[in-house]
Amino acid sequence: MSWKSRGVESTTKNVVSRKFTLFLCIGCFCAGMLFTDRMWTLPEAKDTSRPTEVTDDKLKLVSDGCNPRLKDVKGGPKDVLGEVSKTHDAIQYAPCLEVGYISVYISIKFPIHGHNECRTLDKTISNLEMELAAARAVQDSLLSGSPISEDVKIPALVKKRKYLMVVGINTAFSSRKRRDSVRATWMPQGDKRKKLEEEKGIIIRFVIGHSATSGGILDRAIEAEDRKHGDLLRLEHVEGYLELSAKTKAYFTTAVALWDADFYVKVDDDVHVNIATLGATLARHRTKPRVYIGCMKSGPVLAQKGVRYHEPEYWKFGEHGNKYFRHATGQLYAISKDLATYVSINQHLLHKYANEDVSLGSWFIGLDVEHIDDRRLCCGTPPDCEWKAQAGNICVASFDWSCSGICNSADRIKEVHRRCGEGEKTLWNAIF
């Protein structure tokens, strides 16, 4: 065979080889696309695919030891809100779940087809995140070794009852006579206090921390008083007048962990309160998610040292002579559950000013909060509250502005109660 014929044969083979290679590449590409599409196709909502199974397994694994009822959560697209409600209940019993698992679980398990359902689900997820954050705050306290009441640990296992309000009466070690005068007037005692909790959904407790010397004579006296009356709420807080802002944060954090209420109230132990009127006042704002209720004021920022209510951080409020932002006076105020939960979750980030009422007001600046100025929460003592009661406008709280409470309250509060009190029948006949 000649060299020429050999060259032609070689050229033909090269052409065939190139064509075969081209077709082979195209075929491999098509096969790869087909394989990729089958692997990455999202499963229909009706089928339980691998991602859903993995997420369910994660939920079951993370919730092990929290509550076995979570393993029974099943659902489909037919009843989104019903299944979300079931998931919400399950998560309440399993605070160890991660928020990321909740979001993935709900987004895969329940496909959403409408804007209203999306908004409802978003709100539900937001509420779950807040509840989990609050649970983590309690869990962090446990892990850090801080002693917490046994009542705080129980809510993770038992669903808490819903209350109208929790009333925390701020008190000090030296205020035994004030506490006894409150017990003798507007605060029900014994079986009546339990009846108030069960029938009216109202919790009332004196709020106090610990002395600088843990287990000292002051703490032992308070413990003995609590054994007698059972109406004290002890905080993980060292008592001191300059620590009232920290005490306020500790109170809301502890109260939210112990009781599920619509409102959380703080009142001083030298103020007279009509409980039924307070309950009726707050009940009117139940449908509002974030409310801050009190006698709103805007007092001057006192830069001069040595005066009462001196503000060490006066320079933050602008020029000398400026006033504070609007905030509720500290004798009595109430905040809704969402705000109390916010304080509990962010307690380590919230700044404390020298004055407790200013601190509380500052925590809500920048939030979507409705400030409600109700002057019945700051009536004067007789004859002021007496005239208003006779006119049918019963006061929620009465005190003397000059003393930031009832002057010499241990002796005078009985007289205020007699002339300005709503009457015991009013409380038991009230419907909130």
Side-chain angles (χ1 to χ4, degrees):
M1 183 179 292
S2 65
W3 288 106
K4 182 176 181 180
S5 61
R6 289 181 179 177
V8 172
E9 183 181 352
S10 176
T11 302
T12 303
K13 289 182 178 180
N14 288 339
V15 171
V16 173
S17 177
R18 290 174 184 172
K19 288 182 178 179
F20 177 75
T21 302
L22 178 61
F23 283 120
L24 181 61
C25 290
I26 294 174
C28 291
F29 175 76
C30 294
M33 289 293 292
L34 178 62
F35 178 77
T36 303
D37 288 342
R38 289 182 64 85
M39 290 296 293
W40 286 96
T41 299
L42 289 176
E44 294 296 329
K46 297 179 181 179
D47 298 328
T48 306
S49 64
R50 181 61 185 167
T52 306
E53 293 172 0
V54 172
T55 309
D56 289 343
D57 292 340
K58 285 183 178 180
L59 279 171
K60 293 176 182 177
L61 178 61
V62 176
S63 63
D64 253 5
C66 292
N67 194 315
R69 294 200 323 184
L70 181 58
K71 299 177 181 179
D72 297 327
V73 177
K74 299 179 181 178
K78 293 182 179 179
D79 188 6
V80 176
L81 299 183
E83 294 300 334
V84 169
S85 177
K86 292 178 184 178
T87 306
H88 173 270
D89 292 339
I91 291 171
Q92 278 189 325
Y93 289 93
C96 57
L97 288 173
E98 291 297 332
V99 175
Y101 288 167
I102 295 171
S103 301
V104 173
Y105 175 79
I106 293 178
S107 62
I108 294 176
K109 192 90 173 176
F110 310 114
I112 303 302
H113 304 289
H115 294 293
N116 291 334
E117 291 177 342
C118 283
R119 285 194 293 268
T120 303
L121 188 56
D122 288 343
K123 184 177 180 181
T124 301
I125 293 174
S126 177
N127 290 338
L128 294 178
E129 290 174 345
M130 291 188 68
E131 291 180 16
L132 290 175
R136 287 195 200 99
V138 175
Q139 191 176 44
D140 290 342
S141 297
L142 291 171
L143 293 176
S144 64
S146 300
I148 294 182
S149 170
E150 288 296 325
D151 294 332
V152 179
K153 304 173 188 177
I154 292 175
L157 302 175
V158 180
K159 189 173 182 179
K160 292 183 289 187
R161 176 194 161 169
K162 189 73 174 180
Y163 294 93
L164 170 63
M165 62 181 178
V166 175
V167 180
I169 308 172
N170 183 42
T171 190
F173 289 109
S174 59
S175 300
R176 175 62 188 266
K177 289 184 178 180
R178 287 185 181 181
R179 290 192 293 275
D180 287 340
S181 68
V182 169
R183 292 181 179 117
T185 52
W186 60 267
M187 181 182 180
Q189 291 296 294
D191 292 338
K192 289 184 179 180
R193 181 167 60 83
K194 294 180 180 178
K195 181 181 177 181
L196 184 69
E197 297 176 3
E198 295 172 358
E199 295 185 6
K200 304 301 179 182
I202 298 175
I203 303 289
I204 306 178
R205 295 288 189 275
F206 289 103
V207 180
I208 192 168
H210 296 268
S211 65
T213 306
S214 181
I217 186 172
L218 295 177
D219 288 316
R220 292 198 299 271
I222 284 292
E223 290 167 3
E225 183 180 345
D226 191 29
R227 285 193 296 270
K228 178 179 179 181
H229 297 283
D231 57 5
L232 274 77
L233 174 62
R234 301 299 302 276
L235 305 178
E236 288 305 317
H237 166 80
V238 177
E239 285 290 325
Y241 181 77
L242 298 178
E243 297 297 328
L244 287 179
S245 295
K247 185 176 182 179
T248 300
K249 288 198 291 185
Y251 160 59
F252 286 126
T253 299
T254 305
V256 166
L258 287 174
W259 300 289
D260 181 12
D262 291 322
F263 297 95
Y264 297 84
V265 182
K266 177 263 176 181
V267 59
D268 289 337
D269 61 4
D270 55 356
V271 173
H272 179 268
V273 179
N274 284 317
I275 292 296
T277 307
L278 174 61
T281 300
L282 298 183
R284 287 196 291 269
H285 304 288
R286 253 177 171 162
T287 58
K288 302 172 183 178
R290 293 170 299 279
V291 289
Y292 173 33
I293 307 171
C295 288
M296 300 296 165
K297 66 175 184 177
S298 179
V301 180
L302 302 179
Q304 183 179 353
K305 292 183 179 181
V307 300
R308 191 180 186 187
Y309 306 129
H310 165 63
E311 179 56 73
E313 298 180 87
Y314 61 89
W315 58 273
K316 290 184 177 181
F317 299 91
E319 303 298 328
H320 287 276
N322 280 359
K323 292 186 176 182
Y324 288 112
F325 40 79
R326 288 280 174 183
H327 60 278
T329 185
Q331 284 82 1
L332 187 149
Y333 52 72
I335 61 177
S336 57
K337 178 184 176 180
D338 281 1
L339 295 183
T341 303
Y342 170 81
V343 173
S344 174
I345 294 172
N346 299 284
Q347 57 178 309
H348 301 298
L349 300 176
L350 299 176
H351 184 69
K352 298 176 299 212
Y353 289 99
N355 299 303
E356 162 246 343
D357 51 357
V358 173
S359 294
L360 185 75
S362 71
W363 299 338
F364 302 145
I365 290 180
L367 301 183
D368 186 14
V369 176
E370 181 177 353
H371 290 57
I372 297 176
D373 183 19
D374 192 332
R375 310 314 290 184
R376 292 182 304 157
L377 273 66
C378 55
C379 294
T381 54
D384 179 50
C385 59
E386 187 176 20
W387 291 341
K388 292 176 180 177
Q390 292 172 354
N393 188 24
I394 298 177
C395 293
V396 172
S398 303
F399 56 89
D400 297 310
W401 282 103
S402 59
C403 297
S404 297
I406 298 175
C407 298
N408 193 20
S409 65
D411 297 326
R412 292 186 57 231
I413 196 169
K414 289 184 179 180
E415 178 68 12
V416 175
H417 183 67
R418 184 182 68 82
R419 297 172 65 178
C420 300
E422 61 195 353
E424 189 173 353
K425 289 184 179 180
T426 302
L427 175 59
W428 301 119
N429 292 335
I431 299 176
F432 304 116

